[in-house]
Amino acid sequence: PEHERLSADAIIERAKKIGKHGAALENSEIKDYLVERVKGREAVVLFMSNGSFDGVPAEFVRQVKAGQ
């Protein structure tokens, strides 16, 4: 049922309430958004999907490592 489904918006709102940032993005937006956010920082990045990321997590890691 709808009320039992995971809600990205609800998770983001809960994160904001404790002073954290969250975003729900499309595959085409994820990598560039995250690479910019984690530059020079210690970060935890969680990828969650009910489908394919089309290689986005691996490419994200590659770009972050290349920028260090």
Side-chain angles (χ1 to χ4, degrees):
E2 180 91 26
H3 70 279
E4 293 181 5
R5 294 179 190 172
L6 180 68
S7 167
D9 292 335
I11 292 170
I12 292 165
E13 286 305 312
R14 288 183 72 182
K16 286 179 181 178
K17 286 180 181 178
I18 61 169
K20 304 298 179 184
H21 178 79
L25 305 165
E26 298 296 323
N27 279 359
S28 61
E29 304 168 308
I30 294 170
K31 179 183 53 66
D32 293 336
Y33 176 87
L34 290 174
V35 167
E36 285 300 314
R37 287 239 175 234
V38 302
K39 277 185 183 176
R41 297 180 177 177
E42 185 175 313
V44 174
V45 177
L46 172 65
F47 287 89
M48 296 176 64
S49 175
N50 64 350
S52 169
F53 277 115
D54 300 323
V56 171
E59 182 60 20
F60 165 74
V61 170
R62 186 190 69 72
Q63 283 192 7
V64 169
K65 284 182 176 181
Q68 290 180 340

Short mmCIF file of all heavy atoms in Angstrom, two decimals:
data_model
loop_
_atom_site.label_atom_id
_atom_site.label_comp_id
_atom_site.label_asym_id
_atom_site.label_seq_id
_atom_site.Cartn_x
_atom_site.Cartn_y
_atom_site.Cartn_z
N PRO A 1 0.82 -1.21 0.00
CA PRO A 1 0.00 0.00 0.00
C PRO A 1 0.86 1.27 0.00
O PRO A 1 1.98 1.26 0.53
CB PRO A 1 -0.80 -0.10 1.29
CG PRO A 1 -0.66 -1.51 1.75
CD PRO A 1 0.57 -2.07 1.11
N GLU A 2 0.35 2.31 -0.55
CA GLU A 2 1.06 3.59 -0.66
C GLU A 2 1.65 4.05 0.67
O GLU A 2 2.80 4.49 0.72
CB GLU A 2 0.11 4.66 -1.21
CG GLU A 2 0.74 6.02 -1.38
CD GLU A 2 1.34 6.24 -2.75
OE1 GLU A 2 0.89 5.60 -3.71
OE2 GLU A 2 2.25 7.06 -2.84
N HIS A 3 0.90 3.96 1.75
CA HIS A 3 1.37 4.47 3.05
C HIS A 3 2.53 3.65 3.64
O HIS A 3 3.18 4.07 4.58
CB HIS A 3 0.22 4.58 4.05
CG HIS A 3 -0.31 3.26 4.51
ND1 HIS A 3 -1.21 2.52 3.77
CD2 HIS A 3 -0.06 2.55 5.63
CE1 HIS A 3 -1.49 1.40 4.41
NE2 HIS A 3 -0.81 1.40 5.54
N GLU A 4 2.81 2.47 3.10
CA GLU A 4 3.90 1.63 3.57
C GLU A 4 5.14 1.71 2.69
O GLU A 4 6.15 1.10 2.99
CB GLU A 4 3.43 0.17 3.66
CG GLU A 4 2.40 -0.06 4.72
CD GLU A 4 1.97 -1.52 4.80
OE1 GLU A 4 2.55 -2.37 4.09
OE2 GLU A 4 1.05 -1.80 5.59
N ARG A 5 5.08 2.46 1.62
CA ARG A 5 6.20 2.57 0.68
C ARG A 5 7.26 3.54 1.21
O ARG A 5 6.96 4.49 1.93
CB ARG A 5 5.72 3.06 -0.68
CG ARG A 5 4.82 2.07 -1.35
CD ARG A 5 4.36 2.59 -2.68
NE ARG A 5 3.32 1.71 -3.21
CZ ARG A 5 2.61 1.98 -4.28
NH1 ARG A 5 2.81 3.10 -4.96
NH2 ARG A 5 1.70 1.14 -4.68
N LEU A 6 8.50 3.27 0.81
CA LEU A 6 9.60 4.16 1.13
C LEU A 6 9.37 5.49 0.42
O LEU A 6 9.07 5.52 -0.77
CB LEU A 6 10.92 3.55 0.66
CG LEU A 6 12.17 4.36 0.92
CD1 LEU A 6 12.46 4.44 2.42
CD2 LEU A 6 13.35 3.75 0.20
N SER A 7 9.52 6.57 1.13
CA SER A 7 9.33 7.89 0.55
C SER A 7 10.64 8.67 0.62
O SER A 7 11.11 9.01 1.71
CB SER A 7 8.25 8.65 1.31
OG SER A 7 8.28 10.02 0.96
N ALA A 8 11.23 8.94 -0.55
CA ALA A 8 12.46 9.74 -0.59
C ALA A 8 12.23 11.10 0.04
O ALA A 8 13.08 11.61 0.79
CB ALA A 8 12.95 9.87 -2.02
N ASP A 9 11.11 11.70 -0.24
CA ASP A 9 10.81 13.02 0.33
C ASP A 9 10.76 12.99 1.86
O ASP A 9 11.27 13.89 2.53
CB ASP A 9 9.49 13.57 -0.22
CG ASP A 9 9.57 13.91 -1.70
OD1 ASP A 9 10.68 14.19 -2.18
OD2 ASP A 9 8.51 13.91 -2.35
N ALA A 10 10.17 11.94 2.42
CA ALA A 10 10.09 11.82 3.88
C ALA A 10 11.49 11.64 4.48
O ALA A 10 11.80 12.22 5.52
CB ALA A 10 9.19 10.65 4.27
N ILE A 11 12.34 10.86 3.83
CA ILE A 11 13.70 10.65 4.32
C ILE A 11 14.48 11.97 4.28
O ILE A 11 15.18 12.32 5.22
CB ILE A 11 14.41 9.57 3.49
CG1 ILE A 11 13.75 8.21 3.75
CG2 ILE A 11 15.91 9.53 3.80
CD1 ILE A 11 14.21 7.11 2.82
N ILE A 12 14.33 12.71 3.20
CA ILE A 12 15.02 14.00 3.07
C ILE A 12 14.56 14.97 4.15
O ILE A 12 15.37 15.67 4.77
CB ILE A 12 14.82 14.58 1.66
CG1 ILE A 12 15.55 13.70 0.64
CG2 ILE A 12 15.28 16.02 1.58
CD1 ILE A 12 15.16 13.95 -0.80
N GLU A 13 13.28 15.01 4.41
CA GLU A 13 12.76 15.89 5.46
C GLU A 13 13.29 15.51 6.83
O GLU A 13 13.64 16.38 7.63
CB GLU A 13 11.23 15.89 5.46
CG GLU A 13 10.63 16.67 4.31
CD GLU A 13 11.13 18.11 4.25
OE1 GLU A 13 11.15 18.82 5.28
OE2 GLU A 13 11.56 18.53 3.15
N ARG A 14 13.38 14.22 7.11
CA ARG A 14 13.92 13.78 8.40
C ARG A 14 15.40 14.15 8.51
O ARG A 14 15.86 14.56 9.58
CB ARG A 14 13.74 12.28 8.57
CG ARG A 14 12.27 11.92 8.83
CD ARG A 14 12.08 10.47 9.07
NE ARG A 14 12.60 10.12 10.39
CZ ARG A 14 12.60 8.89 10.86
NH1 ARG A 14 12.15 7.90 10.15
NH2 ARG A 14 13.10 8.65 12.06
N ALA A 15 16.14 14.03 7.42
CA ALA A 15 17.55 14.41 7.43
C ALA A 15 17.69 15.90 7.72
O ALA A 15 18.55 16.30 8.51
CB ALA A 15 18.20 14.06 6.09
N LYS A 16 16.87 16.70 7.09
CA LYS A 16 16.93 18.15 7.31
C LYS A 16 16.65 18.51 8.77
O LYS A 16 17.26 19.43 9.31
CB LYS A 16 15.93 18.87 6.41
CG LYS A 16 16.36 18.91 4.95
CD LYS A 16 15.33 19.61 4.10
CE LYS A 16 15.72 19.64 2.65
NZ LYS A 16 14.69 20.28 1.81
N LYS A 17 15.76 17.79 9.41
CA LYS A 17 15.41 18.07 10.80
C LYS A 17 16.58 17.84 11.75
O LYS A 17 16.61 18.41 12.83
CB LYS A 17 14.22 17.22 11.24
CG LYS A 17 12.91 17.70 10.65
CD LYS A 17 11.75 16.85 11.11
CE LYS A 17 10.46 17.35 10.47
NZ LYS A 17 9.31 16.53 10.83
N ILE A 18 17.54 17.01 11.35
CA ILE A 18 18.71 16.78 12.19
C ILE A 18 19.95 17.47 11.63
O ILE A 18 21.08 17.13 11.96
CB ILE A 18 18.97 15.27 12.43
CG1 ILE A 18 19.24 14.54 11.12
CG2 ILE A 18 17.81 14.65 13.19
CD1 ILE A 18 19.76 13.12 11.31
N GLY A 19 19.71 18.43 10.74
CA GLY A 19 20.80 19.25 10.23
C GLY A 19 21.62 18.62 9.12
O GLY A 19 22.74 19.04 8.86
N LYS A 20 21.08 17.63 8.45
CA LYS A 20 21.78 16.96 7.35
C LYS A 20 21.14 17.34 6.04
O LYS A 20 20.05 17.89 5.99
CB LYS A 20 21.75 15.44 7.53
CG LYS A 20 22.30 14.95 8.84
CD LYS A 20 23.75 15.30 9.00
CE LYS A 20 24.29 14.82 10.33
NZ LYS A 20 25.65 15.21 10.56
N HIS A 21 21.82 17.01 4.97
CA HIS A 21 21.31 17.32 3.63
C HIS A 21 20.93 16.03 2.94
O HIS A 21 21.57 15.00 3.12
CB HIS A 21 22.39 18.04 2.82
CG HIS A 21 21.96 18.34 1.43
ND1 HIS A 21 21.14 19.40 1.12
CD2 HIS A 21 22.19 17.70 0.28
CE1 HIS A 21 20.92 19.40 -0.17
NE2 HIS A 21 21.55 18.38 -0.70
N GLY A 22 19.91 16.09 2.12
CA GLY A 22 19.51 14.95 1.31
C GLY A 22 18.94 15.43 0.00
O GLY A 22 18.50 16.57 -0.12
N ALA A 23 18.94 14.56 -1.00
CA ALA A 23 18.38 14.90 -2.30
C ALA A 23 17.95 13.63 -3.01
O ALA A 23 18.59 12.59 -2.87
CB ALA A 23 19.41 15.64 -3.16
N ALA A 24 16.87 13.72 -3.75
CA ALA A 24 16.41 12.62 -4.60
C ALA A 24 16.64 13.06 -6.04
O ALA A 24 16.10 14.08 -6.47
CB ALA A 24 14.93 12.33 -4.34
N LEU A 25 17.46 12.30 -6.76
CA LEU A 25 17.88 12.71 -8.09
C LEU A 25 17.69 11.60 -9.12
O LEU A 25 17.62 10.42 -8.77
CB LEU A 25 19.37 13.08 -8.07
CG LEU A 25 19.78 14.13 -7.05
CD1 LEU A 25 21.28 14.13 -6.87
CD2 LEU A 25 19.29 15.49 -7.47
N GLU A 26 17.66 12.00 -10.37
CA GLU A 26 17.62 11.05 -11.47
C GLU A 26 19.04 10.57 -11.76
O GLU A 26 20.01 11.26 -11.45
CB GLU A 26 17.04 11.71 -12.73
CG GLU A 26 15.61 12.19 -12.57
CD GLU A 26 14.63 11.05 -12.33
OE1 GLU A 26 14.81 9.96 -12.92
OE2 GLU A 26 13.70 11.24 -11.54
N ASN A 27 19.18 9.39 -12.38
CA ASN A 27 20.50 8.86 -12.69
C ASN A 27 21.39 9.88 -13.40
O ASN A 27 22.57 10.01 -13.11
CB ASN A 27 20.40 7.62 -13.58
CG ASN A 27 20.09 6.36 -12.79
OD1 ASN A 27 19.98 6.39 -11.58
ND2 ASN A 27 19.96 5.26 -13.49
N SER A 28 20.82 10.62 -14.32
CA SER A 28 21.61 11.57 -15.11
C SER A 28 22.15 12.74 -14.29
O SER A 28 23.08 13.40 -14.70
CB SER A 28 20.77 12.11 -16.28
OG SER A 28 19.64 12.80 -15.79
N GLU A 29 21.60 12.95 -13.10
CA GLU A 29 22.01 14.08 -12.25
C GLU A 29 22.91 13.67 -11.10
O GLU A 29 23.63 14.51 -10.55
CB GLU A 29 20.78 14.74 -11.63
CG GLU A 29 19.74 15.20 -12.60
CD GLU A 29 18.43 15.56 -11.90
OE1 GLU A 29 17.91 14.73 -11.13
OE2 GLU A 29 17.98 16.69 -12.13
N ILE A 30 22.88 12.41 -10.74
CA ILE A 30 23.49 11.96 -9.50
C ILE A 30 24.98 12.20 -9.42
O ILE A 30 25.48 12.81 -8.48
CB ILE A 30 23.19 10.46 -9.27
CG1 ILE A 30 21.70 10.24 -9.05
CG2 ILE A 30 23.98 9.92 -8.09
CD1 ILE A 30 21.29 8.78 -9.05
N LYS A 31 25.72 11.69 -10.39
CA LYS A 31 27.18 11.70 -10.30
C LYS A 31 27.74 13.11 -10.16
O LYS A 31 28.51 13.38 -9.24
CB LYS A 31 27.81 11.01 -11.50
CG LYS A 31 29.33 10.99 -11.47
CD LYS A 31 29.94 10.37 -12.70
CE LYS A 31 29.47 10.92 -14.00
NZ LYS A 31 29.81 12.31 -14.31
N ASP A 32 27.37 14.00 -11.05
CA ASP A 32 27.91 15.36 -11.00
C ASP A 32 27.52 16.07 -9.72
O ASP A 32 28.33 16.77 -9.10
CB ASP A 32 27.44 16.17 -12.22
CG ASP A 32 28.03 15.65 -13.51
OD1 ASP A 32 29.09 15.00 -13.48
OD2 ASP A 32 27.42 15.88 -14.57
N TYR A 33 26.29 15.90 -9.28
CA TYR A 33 25.81 16.51 -8.04
C TYR A 33 26.67 16.04 -6.87
O TYR A 33 27.14 16.85 -6.06
CB TYR A 33 24.35 16.13 -7.84
CG TYR A 33 23.75 16.63 -6.55
CD1 TYR A 33 23.18 17.89 -6.47
CD2 TYR A 33 23.75 15.82 -5.42
CE1 TYR A 33 22.63 18.33 -5.27
CE2 TYR A 33 23.20 16.26 -4.23
CZ TYR A 33 22.64 17.52 -4.17
OH TYR A 33 22.10 17.96 -2.98
N LEU A 34 26.88 14.74 -6.78
CA LEU A 34 27.61 14.19 -5.65
C LEU A 34 29.09 14.52 -5.69
O LEU A 34 29.69 14.81 -4.65
CB LEU A 34 27.41 12.67 -5.58
CG LEU A 34 26.02 12.22 -5.17
CD1 LEU A 34 25.90 10.72 -5.28
CD2 LEU A 34 25.67 12.69 -3.78
N VAL A 35 29.69 14.46 -6.85
CA VAL A 35 31.12 14.77 -6.97
C VAL A 35 31.37 16.18 -6.43
O VAL A 35 32.31 16.42 -5.68
CB VAL A 35 31.62 14.62 -8.42
CG1 VAL A 35 32.99 15.24 -8.60
CG2 VAL A 35 31.65 13.14 -8.82
N GLU A 36 30.52 17.13 -6.80
CA GLU A 36 30.67 18.50 -6.31
C GLU A 36 30.49 18.60 -4.80
O GLU A 36 31.17 19.35 -4.12
CB GLU A 36 29.68 19.44 -7.02
CG GLU A 36 30.07 19.75 -8.43
CD GLU A 36 31.44 20.44 -8.52
OE1 GLU A 36 31.70 21.38 -7.75
OE2 GLU A 36 32.25 20.01 -9.36
N ARG A 37 29.55 17.86 -4.26
CA ARG A 37 29.25 17.92 -2.83
C ARG A 37 30.34 17.34 -1.95
O ARG A 37 30.51 17.78 -0.82
CB ARG A 37 27.94 17.19 -2.53
CG ARG A 37 26.76 17.95 -3.01
CD ARG A 37 25.89 18.19 -1.81
NE ARG A 37 24.79 19.02 -2.20
CZ ARG A 37 24.49 20.15 -1.59
NH1 ARG A 37 25.18 20.57 -0.58
NH2 ARG A 37 23.47 20.86 -1.98
N VAL A 38 31.05 16.31 -2.42
CA VAL A 38 32.02 15.64 -1.55
C VAL A 38 33.45 16.11 -1.74
O VAL A 38 34.32 15.68 -0.98
CB VAL A 38 31.95 14.10 -1.72
CG1 VAL A 38 30.57 13.58 -1.41
CG2 VAL A 38 32.43 13.65 -3.08
N LYS A 39 33.70 16.99 -2.67
CA LYS A 39 35.07 17.48 -2.89
C LYS A 39 35.67 17.99 -1.59
O LYS A 39 35.12 18.86 -0.93
CB LYS A 39 35.08 18.63 -3.91
CG LYS A 39 35.06 18.17 -5.32
CD LYS A 39 35.19 19.36 -6.26
CE LYS A 39 35.11 18.91 -7.70
NZ LYS A 39 35.13 20.05 -8.61
N GLY A 40 36.83 17.41 -1.23
CA GLY A 40 37.56 17.87 -0.05
C GLY A 40 36.88 17.59 1.27
O GLY A 40 37.24 18.18 2.28
N ARG A 41 35.90 16.71 1.30
CA ARG A 41 35.16 16.42 2.53
C ARG A 41 35.16 14.94 2.84
O ARG A 41 35.29 14.12 1.95
CB ARG A 41 33.69 16.82 2.38
CG ARG A 41 33.46 18.25 2.15
CD ARG A 41 31.99 18.49 2.03
NE ARG A 41 31.79 19.92 1.88
CZ ARG A 41 30.64 20.47 1.69
NH1 ARG A 41 29.56 19.74 1.62
NH2 ARG A 41 30.54 21.77 1.57
N GLU A 42 34.93 14.64 4.08
CA GLU A 42 34.63 13.28 4.47
C GLU A 42 33.12 13.13 4.30
O GLU A 42 32.36 13.99 4.75
CB GLU A 42 35.02 13.06 5.93
CG GLU A 42 34.84 11.64 6.37
CD GLU A 42 35.36 11.42 7.77
OE1 GLU A 42 36.49 11.88 8.07
OE2 GLU A 42 34.62 10.82 8.57
N ALA A 43 32.68 12.09 3.63
CA ALA A 43 31.25 11.96 3.33
C ALA A 43 30.82 10.51 3.33
O ALA A 43 31.61 9.61 3.06
CB ALA A 43 30.94 12.59 1.98
N VAL A 44 29.56 10.32 3.63
CA VAL A 44 28.91 9.03 3.46
C VAL A 44 27.91 9.19 2.34
O VAL A 44 27.06 10.09 2.38
CB VAL A 44 28.18 8.59 4.76
CG1 VAL A 44 27.39 7.31 4.52
CG2 VAL A 44 29.16 8.44 5.90
N VAL A 45 28.01 8.35 1.32
CA VAL A 45 27.10 8.42 0.18
C VAL A 45 26.40 7.07 0.08
O VAL A 45 27.04 6.03 0.01
CB VAL A 45 27.86 8.72 -1.13
CG1 VAL A 45 26.91 8.72 -2.31
CG2 VAL A 45 28.59 10.05 -1.02
N LEU A 46 25.09 7.10 0.07
CA LEU A 46 24.27 5.90 -0.01
C LEU A 46 23.51 5.92 -1.32
O LEU A 46 22.76 6.86 -1.58
CB LEU A 46 23.28 5.85 1.16
CG LEU A 46 22.22 4.76 1.12
CD1 LEU A 46 22.86 3.39 1.23
CD2 LEU A 46 21.21 4.99 2.23
N PHE A 47 23.73 4.92 -2.15
CA PHE A 47 22.98 4.78 -3.40
C PHE A 47 21.86 3.77 -3.16
O PHE A 47 22.11 2.65 -2.74
CB PHE A 47 23.88 4.26 -4.52
CG PHE A 47 24.86 5.26 -5.05
CD1 PHE A 47 26.10 5.41 -4.48
CD2 PHE A 47 24.52 6.05 -6.13
CE1 PHE A 47 27.01 6.34 -4.97
CE2 PHE A 47 25.42 6.98 -6.64
CZ PHE A 47 26.67 7.12 -6.05
N MET A 48 20.61 4.18 -3.44
CA MET A 48 19.46 3.28 -3.30
C MET A 48 18.60 3.40 -4.55
O MET A 48 18.34 4.51 -5.01
CB MET A 48 18.62 3.65 -2.07
CG MET A 48 19.34 3.49 -0.77
SD MET A 48 18.36 4.06 0.65
CE MET A 48 17.00 2.93 0.61
N SER A 49 18.18 2.26 -5.07
CA SER A 49 17.35 2.29 -6.27
C SER A 49 16.60 0.97 -6.39
O SER A 49 17.04 -0.05 -5.88
CB SER A 49 18.23 2.48 -7.50
OG SER A 49 17.45 2.40 -8.68
N ASN A 50 15.49 1.03 -7.10
CA ASN A 50 14.77 -0.20 -7.42
C ASN A 50 15.09 -0.64 -8.85
O ASN A 50 14.44 -1.50 -9.39
CB ASN A 50 13.26 -0.03 -7.23
CG ASN A 50 12.70 0.99 -8.20
OD1 ASN A 50 13.44 1.70 -8.88
ND2 ASN A 50 11.38 1.07 -8.26
N GLY A 51 16.12 -0.03 -9.42
CA GLY A 51 16.51 -0.37 -10.78
C GLY A 51 18.01 -0.24 -10.94
O GLY A 51 18.76 -0.31 -9.99
N SER A 52 18.44 -0.02 -12.15
CA SER A 52 19.86 0.08 -12.46
C SER A 52 20.34 1.52 -12.31
O SER A 52 19.62 2.46 -12.59
CB SER A 52 20.09 -0.36 -13.90
OG SER A 52 21.39 -0.04 -14.31
N PHE A 53 21.58 1.66 -11.90
CA PHE A 53 22.20 2.99 -11.84
C PHE A 53 23.03 3.26 -13.08
O PHE A 53 23.71 4.28 -13.16
CB PHE A 53 23.10 3.12 -10.62
CG PHE A 53 22.39 3.47 -9.35
CD1 PHE A 53 22.35 2.58 -8.30
CD2 PHE A 53 21.79 4.71 -9.20
CE1 PHE A 53 21.72 2.91 -7.12
CE2 PHE A 53 21.16 5.05 -8.02
CZ PHE A 53 21.12 4.14 -6.98
N ASP A 54 23.04 2.35 -14.01
CA ASP A 54 23.80 2.53 -15.26
C ASP A 54 25.26 2.87 -15.01
O ASP A 54 25.86 3.70 -15.69
CB ASP A 54 23.16 3.61 -16.14
CG ASP A 54 21.73 3.28 -16.53
OD1 ASP A 54 21.44 2.09 -16.77
OD2 ASP A 54 20.91 4.21 -16.59
N GLY A 55 25.86 2.25 -14.00
CA GLY A 55 27.28 2.46 -13.71
C GLY A 55 27.61 3.72 -12.95
O GLY A 55 28.78 4.05 -12.75
N VAL A 56 26.60 4.46 -12.50
CA VAL A 56 26.83 5.73 -11.80
C VAL A 56 27.67 5.56 -10.53
O VAL A 56 28.62 6.33 -10.33
CB VAL A 56 25.50 6.46 -11.51
CG1 VAL A 56 25.71 7.65 -10.60
CG2 VAL A 56 24.84 6.90 -12.80
N PRO A 57 27.39 4.60 -9.64
CA PRO A 57 28.22 4.51 -8.43
C PRO A 57 29.71 4.29 -8.72
O PRO A 57 30.56 4.94 -8.12
CB PRO A 57 27.62 3.31 -7.68
CG PRO A 57 26.19 3.28 -8.14
CD PRO A 57 26.26 3.67 -9.59
N ALA A 58 30.03 3.42 -9.64
CA ALA A 58 31.44 3.16 -9.98
C ALA A 58 32.09 4.40 -10.59
O ALA A 58 33.24 4.72 -10.27
CB ALA A 58 31.54 1.97 -10.93
N GLU A 59 31.39 5.09 -11.44
CA GLU A 59 31.93 6.31 -12.06
C GLU A 59 32.10 7.40 -11.01
O GLU A 59 33.09 8.15 -11.03
CB GLU A 59 31.01 6.79 -13.17
CG GLU A 59 31.51 8.02 -13.90
CD GLU A 59 32.87 7.87 -14.57
OE1 GLU A 59 33.31 6.74 -14.83
OE2 GLU A 59 33.50 8.91 -14.83
N PHE A 60 31.20 7.50 -10.08
CA PHE A 60 31.31 8.47 -8.98
C PHE A 60 32.59 8.20 -8.18
O PHE A 60 33.39 9.11 -7.93
CB PHE A 60 30.07 8.37 -8.08
CG PHE A 60 30.25 9.04 -6.75
CD1 PHE A 60 30.23 10.41 -6.64
CD2 PHE A 60 30.44 8.28 -5.60
CE1 PHE A 60 30.38 11.04 -5.40
CE2 PHE A 60 30.60 8.89 -4.36
CZ PHE A 60 30.57 10.28 -4.28
N VAL A 61 32.80 6.95 -7.78
CA VAL A 61 33.99 6.59 -7.01
C VAL A 61 35.25 6.90 -7.81
O VAL A 61 36.21 7.45 -7.28
CB VAL A 61 33.94 5.11 -6.59
CG1 VAL A 61 35.27 4.66 -6.00
CG2 VAL A 61 32.81 4.87 -5.60
N ARG A 62 35.25 6.57 -9.09
CA ARG A 62 36.42 6.83 -9.94
C ARG A 62 36.74 8.33 -9.97
O ARG A 62 37.88 8.74 -9.80
CB ARG A 62 36.18 6.33 -11.36
CG ARG A 62 37.42 6.43 -12.25
CD ARG A 62 37.11 6.17 -13.70
NE ARG A 62 36.30 7.24 -14.31
CZ ARG A 62 36.75 8.47 -14.60
NH1 ARG A 62 37.98 8.82 -14.31
NH2 ARG A 62 35.96 9.36 -15.16
N GLN A 63 35.72 9.16 -10.15
CA GLN A 63 35.94 10.60 -10.23
C GLN A 63 36.40 11.18 -8.88
O GLN A 63 37.25 12.05 -8.85
CB GLN A 63 34.70 11.33 -10.72
CG GLN A 63 34.51 11.19 -12.19
CD GLN A 63 33.45 12.15 -12.72
OE1 GLN A 63 32.94 13.01 -12.00
NE2 GLN A 63 33.12 12.00 -13.99
N VAL A 64 35.83 10.70 -7.80
CA VAL A 64 36.24 11.21 -6.49
C VAL A 64 37.69 10.83 -6.21
O VAL A 64 38.48 11.65 -5.76
CB VAL A 64 35.31 10.68 -5.38
CG1 VAL A 64 35.87 10.98 -4.00
CG2 VAL A 64 33.92 11.30 -5.53
N LYS A 65 38.06 9.60 -6.51
CA LYS A 65 39.45 9.16 -6.29
C LYS A 65 40.40 9.95 -7.19
O LYS A 65 41.50 10.29 -6.76
CB LYS A 65 39.59 7.67 -6.55
CG LYS A 65 39.04 6.81 -5.45
CD LYS A 65 39.26 5.35 -5.74
CE LYS A 65 38.80 4.49 -4.57
NZ LYS A 65 39.04 3.07 -4.84
N ALA A 66 40.01 10.23 -8.40
CA ALA A 66 40.86 10.98 -9.34
C ALA A 66 41.06 12.42 -8.87
O ALA A 66 42.11 13.01 -9.14
CB ALA A 66 40.25 10.98 -10.73
N GLY A 67 40.11 12.95 -8.14
CA GLY A 67 40.19 14.33 -7.67
C GLY A 67 40.94 14.50 -6.36
O GLY A 67 41.15 15.61 -5.91
N GLN A 68 41.36 13.42 -5.74
CA GLN A 68 42.03 13.52 -4.44
C GLN A 68 43.47 13.93 -4.59
O GLN A 68 44.18 13.67 -5.44
CB GLN A 68 41.96 12.19 -3.70
CG GLN A 68 40.57 11.87 -3.24
CD GLN A 68 40.50 10.55 -2.50
OE1 GLN A 68 41.37 9.70 -2.61
NE2 GLN A 68 39.44 10.37 -1.74
#
